[in-house]
Amino acid sequence: MLATLLLLSLSLPTLWTQILISCAYKSLCQQALLSGNDVVLQCDHPKALWYYSSILEEEPLLVSSMPNIKKLPGGSLQLTNPQPSQTGLYHCQDNESALVVDYELDFQDVTTLHITHKGLGQKPLQNETLKLGTSVLIFTQWEPWQDCNRCGKPGERKRLGYCYIEEPLEKPMPCWLYLRVEKVKDSRMRPEMQVEACLVPCDHFKEINQPYFIFDIYQLGKLTNIWLTCPLASIYR
Ligand SMILES: *[C@@H]1O[C@H](CO)[C@@H](O)[C@H](O)[C@H]1NC(C)=O
Ligand SMILES: *[C@@H]1O[C@H](CO)[C@@H](O)[C@H](O)[C@H]1NC(C)=O
């Protein structure tokens, strides 16, 4: 059957929040994120200076030269619509060149997101081994399930998963931070989202935690030309 499953992710303005990434003082934190989703990297130093070095091991650049990146008054860094090409090391230092915090970020390409719905019997990606000198394991590292999008009636919840690579006896790393300059094309290497049905009672004291987006699924037939308008939204197919 040639049915196309479209998943529309509507992010309502009232629910829109930027994802705040933080890391302990003088530490290096490594994290996978989805491209296209805004983030703020925390660095609490009003005179913070931020440098960026790509995974291609180029010289660090002062980030003020990058158009979609803005330093906030308290020192933190805001990245609007970050792209997979902006994967790399974000280094925050104080006015005396001492490290405040380092973030090593892998912006995984949201346009390759593999979406599966448990209720439709769709399976997430399988683990795969890849020969790269040594044999490494490619797998999905899942975030916890987000809250159900409704209460007191059937709803849905989702979780995001990121591509990770694990060498035997080593700590797993986000795929593109592991690979660095190595050019590997493998269709297993993509972020994932899994959806499932849920039914939870209403608890008025609890705030619903649904970072990223809320969404609806539309089953569409064989299509030639369609236009979808979806203000303030992302569309995944
Ligand atoms: C850095 O800032 C602190 C306070 O914000 C100040 O006391 C110190 O002199 C500054 N150092 C330099 C090298 O400008
Ligand atoms: C895939 O690999 C990960 C990491 O080693 C492991 O936690 C997970 O259980 C594996 N999944 C399957 C289905 O084997």
Side-chain angles (χ1 to χ4, degrees), residues 59-106:
E59 285 294 296
L61 289 175
L62 204 58
V63 294
S64 53
S65 55
M66 301 170 79
N68 64 334
I69 300 186
K70 192 173 115 195
K71 205 186 104 185
L72 301 176
S76 295
L77 197 68
Q78 180 183 51
L79 284 82
T80 309
N81 189 20
Q83 296 303 302
S85 60
Q86 291 181 301
T87 291
L89 177 71
Y90 292 81
H91 169 86
C92 179
Q93 64 182 44
D94 66 14
N95 60 333
E96 288 168 354
S97 302
L99 170 69
V100 181
V101 66
D102 268 338
Y103 295 95
E104 215 173 13
L105 303 179
D106 183 354

Side-chain angles (χ1 to χ4, degrees), residues 210-224:
Q210 290 187 291
Y212 291 97
F213 25 64
I214 55 168
F215 59 90
D216 273 309
I217 293 174
Y218 294 87
Q219 188 95 41
L220 300 173
K222 210 169 167 185
L223 301 165
T224 44

Side-chain angles (χ1 to χ4, degrees), residues 128-132 134-138 165-168 178:
E128 198 175 291
T129 49
L130 186 67
K131 272 248 168 279
L132 281 176
T134 58
S135 150
V136 298
L137 182 74
I138 310 177
I165 290 183
E166 187 178 40
E167 255 184 51
Y178 178 87

Side-chain angles (χ1 to χ4, degrees), residues 160-186:
L160 288 167
Y162 296 99
C163 177
Y164 270 69
I165 290 183
E166 187 178 40
E167 255 184 51
L169 308 174
E170 298 282 339
K171 198 169 147 266
M173 279 174 77
C175 289
W176 287 271
L177 292 180
Y178 178 87
L179 291 171
R180 308 266 152 187
V181 288
E182 195 132 20
K183 292 255 180 298
V184 177
K185 278 240 181 296
D186 188 306

